Amino acid sequence: GLDVNMGCPKKFSVSGGMGSALLGDMNRACDIIKTLRRNIGCNKPVSAKIRLLDEENPKPTVDFVRNLVKAGANAIAIHGRIRGDESHIMARWETLINVVKELKMYDDVNVPIIINGDLYTREDIREMKRRTGCDGIMLARPALYNISLFNRGKEEEKEGDGVGKAGGSNNDGEEEEVPISQFQQTNHSGHYGYKSPLLHSRTSIVQEYIAHCVRYRTHSKNA
């Protein structure tokens, strides 16, 4: 299939009218999807990756996604930052949650919705899948940080991703859901967090990576 990156914030991309520059031109973005769909037929999927279009208001992003789907997109990935946000700025999870939940209310959005942005632990992945109802997640820097993030525990295989709630209990003994902003900043140390027994040391990951480079005669810098 073909994926159109409408989320790249790099200067070389934006200055050429590509990447996140397309977020400011819905007609051209949709025309690209329509043209691809018309020329490659229905046998190959066409997808697009975008960013949030507003810091708090989900409507601009929802409208953009609906138009991409109408144009022929088979899947949409949404990065949890707006155009102009640098990578050191925390992903706007609360807005991302509201966008995906609203998209799921529309019958015309019948394609997979994938989320992306600061999902560094399995706990992050489980919680955001549960809160958004998204169809999948996309990883970049977290996978580079420690590829063993993809390990699944036996409990997780039985219960599936995204179950349970992160929070404490109220006076009636009922579970309380912590605000997502609080979870995003603090809830990383549990069984599926940074101290997860599923994670291998980064030293062992690098050693295994170099061993594969030697085995397949691939230079480590090019692999």
Side-chain angles (χ1 to χ4, degrees):
L2 294 173
D3 182 65
V4 183
N5 187 349
M6 301 183 183
C8 180
K10 298 298 182 182
K11 184 177 180 180
F12 76 88
S13 184
V14 176
S15 61
M18 302 175 288
S20 59
L22 291 169
L23 299 179
D25 192 342
M26 184 187 295
N27 290 334
R28 191 155 65 96
C30 290
D31 191 48
I32 290 172
I33 298 298
K34 288 178 182 177
T35 302
L36 287 172
R37 171 58 57 225
R38 183 171 60 249
N39 284 279
I40 69 173
C42 298
N43 294 327
K44 291 184 179 180
V46 174
S47 58
K49 181 186 178 186
I50 69 170
R51 286 182 167 228
L52 296 172
L53 273 72
D54 189 272
E55 294 182 11
E56 298 180 355
N57 184 8
K59 188 178 187 305
T61 309
V62 170
D63 290 345
F64 198 90
V65 171
R66 292 182 71 192
N67 277 278
L68 290 179
V69 173
K70 185 178 180 180
N74 300 112
I76 303 292
I78 307 172
H79 180 68
R81 291 183 175 86
I82 63 171
R83 184 171 54 177
D85 277 353
E86 298 291 340
S87 58
H88 65 270
I89 295 176
M90 292 182 70
R92 303 174 188 275
W93 281 5
E94 188 167 354
T95 305
L96 184 59
I97 290 170
N98 292 333
V99 165
V100 179
K101 288 174 73 172
E102 188 167 331
L103 283 170
K104 291 296 183 179
M105 296 172 62
Y106 290 97
D107 293 333
D108 58 354
V109 183
N110 55 354
V111 302
I113 301 297
I114 302 158
I115 62 171
N116 169 249
D118 288 354
L119 302 169
Y120 277 95
T121 69
R122 292 205 70 86
E123 193 68 47
D124 291 340
I125 294 169
R126 288 157 58 87
E127 188 67 8
M128 284 297 283
K129 285 187 69 177
R130 184 182 69 80
R131 295 204 190 205
T132 63
C134 69
D135 300 286
I137 59 99
M138 180 183 292
L139 301 177
R141 289 183 299 159
L144 295 175
Y145 181 78
N146 193 328
I147 197 67
S148 63
L149 171 64
F150 291 102
N151 283 344
R152 290 166 60 93
K154 292 182 179 179
E155 315 93 80
E156 196 172 19
E157 291 174 356
K158 292 179 181 178
E159 66 193 20
D161 287 329
V163 298
K165 292 186 178 181
S169 300
N170 58 24
N171 294 332
D172 297 323
E174 298 176 348
E175 281 191 286
E176 290 184 329
E177 185 168 82
V178 300
I180 193 62
S181 57
Q182 179 182 337
F183 174 89
Q184 189 174 7
Q185 297 183 54
T186 63
N187 204 69
H188 291 123
S189 61
H191 183 74
Y192 296 111
Y194 290 130
K195 296 181 180 180
S196 172
L198 301 173
L199 287 176
H200 300 301
S201 72
R202 279 180 288 174
T203 300
S204 66
I205 295 294
V206 172
Q207 290 172 338
E208 185 177 355
Y209 169 74
I210 293 174
H212 282 303
C213 290
V214 173
R215 179 181 178 185
Y216 295 106
R217 300 181 181 180
T218 301
H219 194 287
S220 59
K221 292 184 178 180
N222 298 326

